[in-house]
Amino acid sequence: MRFSTVAVAAALTVVSVSTSLSGQRPDTQIDARSLQLLAQGRSLKAAGNLDGATDMLETAVAVDPRNRAAFVELGRVAEARELPGKAIRLYREALLLEPNDVTALQGQGSALVMKGAVLRARDNLAKIRTICKGQCPEAVQLAAIIAKGPPITTAQVVKPATPAKD
């Protein structure tokens, strides 16, 4: 009597776990609608429509939050808009999905240089070199960006208003 209730509970547990696992997609399979939206977002970005590209790419991420390429492309759009802080965050989202994504590491390193965090960008370069185990285009690009350094910004000089002459 005692064994039958335990056996029934174990059987129900196995059945419920196996059905929930069979209904999930593997991590490598991204929703086709999300990939289509990603392609549309890339074409809008190439055409110079950054607002439309952002909308499409954000929709792609909403459809399938595992679409790492959409996060990377959103980061590139943010860099094109000169928003390095937002780009860093978006690249970090891509890196949470795949920590060894050299494209996301290179993009994040580039955004870090724009923000002035050259030491953190060098850490990204070291990670890329470790992953590639040799020369890869992402490492070369990031090394060139680091060598160039952060953009020079100057303070805007405001001229005092001249008094009106009567």
Side-chain angles (χ1 to χ4, degrees), residues 101-114:
D101 185 350
V102 292
T103 305
L105 284 167
Q106 187 270 331
Q108 186 182 48
S110 172
L112 286 166
V113 170
M114 283 176 64

Side-chain angles (χ1 to χ4, degrees), residues 38 60 127 145 151:
L38 171 63
K127 288 178 191 175
I145 291 169

Side-chain angles (χ1 to χ4, degrees), residues 16-166:
S16 65
V17 168
S18 66
T19 29
S20 67
L21 291 177
S22 66
Q24 294 179 353
R25 292 191 318 261
D27 287 342
T28 57
Q29 186 179 1
I30 304 295
D31 191 328
R33 294 173 298 167
S34 181
L35 294 174
Q36 182 182 13
L37 290 165
L38 171 63
Q40 290 174 355
R42 283 181 174 155
S43 64
L44 288 169
K45 180 182 173 266
N49 184 355
L50 297 180
D51 290 333
T54 300
D55 292 343
M56 284 295 166
L57 294 168
E58 286 177 348
T59 305
V61 169
V63 168
D64 194 343
R66 296 170 299 139
N67 192 342
R68 186 176 73 242
F71 280 114
V72 170
E73 202 63 37
L74 274 167
R76 289 179 179 154
V77 170
E79 280 187 90
R81 289 184 165 180
E82 297 180 2
L83 300 170
K86 184 174 182 178
I88 291 167
R89 182 183 58 80
L90 290 164
Y91 289 126
R92 184 176 50 234
E93 291 292 329
L95 290 169
L96 288 174
L97 294 170
E98 175 56 53
N100 294 331
D101 185 350
V102 292
T103 305
L105 284 167
Q106 187 270 331
Q108 186 182 48
S110 172
L112 286 166
V113 170
M114 283 176 64
K115 192 84 169 164
V118 177
L119 292 176
R120 287 188 53 205
R122 286 188 182 138
D123 292 341
N124 279 23
L125 180 60
K127 288 178 191 175
I128 292 172
R129 287 183 174 155
T130 302
I131 293 167
C132 288
K133 297 189 189 329
Q135 286 291 42
C136 60
E138 291 85 359
V140 173
Q141 289 173 350
L142 185 55
I145 291 169
I146 290 172
K148 184 179 174 185
I152 298 172
T153 56
T154 58
Q156 184 178 7
V157 178
V158 178
K159 294 181 181 180
T162 56
K165 295 182 183 178
D166 290 326

